[in-house]
Amino acid sequence: MVTENLQKVRERITIACNKAGRSEEKVTLIAVSKTKPEEMIREAYAAGQSDFGENKVQEMCSKAESMSDLPIRWHLIGHLQKNKVRKAVAVACMIHSVDSVELANEIQKEAARIGKIQDILLEINVAGEESKFGLRPEEAVVVAEQIASLPNVHLCGLMTVAPYTEHPEDNRAYFAQLRKISVDIQSKNYDNVSMYCLSMGMSNDFEEAITEGATMVRVGSLIFGERHYEITEGSI
Ligand SMILES: *Cc1c(COP(=O)(O)O)cnc(C)c1O
């Protein structure tokens, strides 16, 4: 099932890219495997999927360990607490959920300790939802400037989790806003900051995100099926 689902999602990405006049090589599919078992991840990998997203550090690390035979790129997409930075930096190719200078400083310390340059994204709460993590849009430029000076942290772009909606078209304005913030930051030409990643769009709205310039879409349930657990703050 996972193989067929992946195929369908890839086809929809291709169509959305064509409609938007964008190259599909510019859009990375991140298969969000949170709560899903190893067998499903192995099946997806065998079907050509190598970027996977997890929202909990512990789960990401134990999956990375049990599948260390596969060259999977693990993306941390959920909220990161400072006391879990060490484990996150050990495993994640990219941390999508950085939402404070303090957290970036912790990542800097740990990345320097192990001699890594850690790719990160700033998470922006574009819709201003109380229940969600992320910087306020107006904080983004200042935080980017402060992170720019950290030698072992490479700020590559922005991430957002748009509101759940029955009308995905409604989220286009939020995706456009994220893109605009990335253009603002890019225009400052901070050393060590590049804005080539826009991580936005999920099962419900990834096509709209592609229309608005997403370079990474994070798709879970369309690939692995519904998740059976309560969604709590921090898990989404
Ligand atoms: C769970 C999750 C996703 C994937 O959600 P689906 O609706 O299942 O595609 C994407 N991004 C984040 C941050 C998530 O926590």
Side-chain angles (χ1 to χ4, degrees), residues 47-90:
Q49 181 63 34
S50 44
D51 288 88
F52 289 85
E54 290 285 339
N55 69 333
K56 297 211 164 89
V57 175
Q58 190 52 56
E59 186 176 346
M60 175 181 74
C61 291
S62 49
K63 285 175 172 171
E65 198 180 341
S66 62
M67 288 176 267
S68 59
D69 55 314
L70 305 179
I72 285 178
R73 284 189 295 274
W74 295 101
H75 296 255
L76 184 68
I77 60 174
H79 184 64
L80 175 59
Q81 290 166 332
K82 292 194 193 76
N83 62 358
K84 300 204 174 128
V85 164
R86 177 163 291 194
K87 285 182 167 176
V89 169

Side-chain angles (χ1 to χ4, degrees), residues 32 34 55 77 159 161 202-203 218-221 227 235-236:
V32 177
K34 62 191 184 196
N55 69 333
I77 60 174
M159 178 271 220
V161 180
M202 311 184 4
S203 290
R218 308 178 308 267
V219 179
S221 40
R227 290 174 298 272
S235 70
I236 190 150

Side-chain angles (χ1 to χ4, degrees), residues 126 168-179 208 212:
V126 273
E169 276 287 311
D170 295 351
N171 281 342
R172 280 185 59 177
Y174 296 125
F175 297 141
Q177 199 190 342
L178 193 72
R179 181 179 160 129
E208 286 73 18
E212 297 299 338

Side-chain angles (χ1 to χ4, degrees), residues 16-230:
C17 285
N18 289 344
K19 273 196 194 151
R22 299 187 54 207
S23 159
E24 61 180 296
E25 280 138 49
K26 295 279 162 63
V27 179
T28 301
L29 171 61
I30 298 176
V32 177
S33 47
K34 62 191 184 196
T35 78
K36 299 298 179 180
E38 180 170 341
E39 308 83 76
M40 283 187 161
I41 297 172
R42 287 188 178 273
E43 181 180 346
Y45 182 83
Q49 181 63 34
S50 44
D51 288 88
F52 289 85
E54 290 285 339
N55 69 333
K56 297 211 164 89
V57 175
Q58 190 52 56
E59 186 176 346
M60 175 181 74
C61 291
S62 49
K63 285 175 172 171
E65 198 180 341
S66 62
M67 288 176 267
S68 59
D69 55 314
L70 305 179
I72 285 178
R73 284 189 295 274
W74 295 101
H75 296 255
L76 184 68
I77 60 174
H79 184 64
L80 175 59
Q81 290 166 332
K82 292 194 193 76
N83 62 358
K84 300 204 174 128
V85 164
R86 177 163 291 194
K87 285 182 167 176
V89 169
V91 168
C93 70
M94 187 176 273
I95 299 173
H96 292 229
S97 48
V98 176
D99 61 0
S100 72
V101 176
E102 295 72 39
L103 180 58
N105 284 334
E106 289 300 314
I107 294 171
Q108 164 61 32
K109 271 190 227 153
E110 187 52 29
R113 194 184 68 85
I114 64 168
K116 180 182 188 185
I117 309 260
Q118 178 68 59
D119 285 345
I120 67 153
L121 304 178
L122 286 182
E123 179 172 357
I124 314 289
N125 185 358
V126 273
E129 289 177 283
E130 295 253 337
S131 62
K132 294 227 170 100
F133 290 102
L135 293 163
R136 285 180 281 124
E138 59 273 24
E139 297 174 306
V141 172
V142 176
V143 171
E145 180 179 13
Q146 288 175 277
I147 290 177
S149 65
L150 304 175
N152 294 78
V153 174
H154 180 213
L155 176 55
C156 315
L158 305 179
M159 178 271 220
T160 198
V161 180
Y164 178 78
T165 167
E166 298 283 320
H167 308 284
E169 276 287 311
D170 295 351
N171 281 342
R172 280 185 59 177
Y174 296 125
F175 297 141
Q177 199 190 342
L178 193 72
R179 181 179 160 129
K180 182 179 172 301
I181 298 166
S182 84
V183 171
D184 288 348
I185 295 173
Q186 188 67 61
S187 72
K188 305 283 182 186
N189 282 317
Y190 299 128
D191 288 344
N192 191 34
V193 172
S194 34
M195 282 282 130
Y196 57 88
C197 291
L198 279 178
S199 170
M200 57 190 194
M202 311 184 4
S203 290
N204 191 42
D205 55 13
F206 69 93
E207 286 141 320
E208 286 73 18
I210 288 171
T211 307
E212 297 299 338
T215 67
M216 294 177 153
V217 290
R218 308 178 308 267
V219 179
S221 40
L222 274 184
I223 297 171
F224 298 108
E226 294 290 311
R227 290 174 298 272
H228 302 287
Y229 71 109
E230 289 292 304

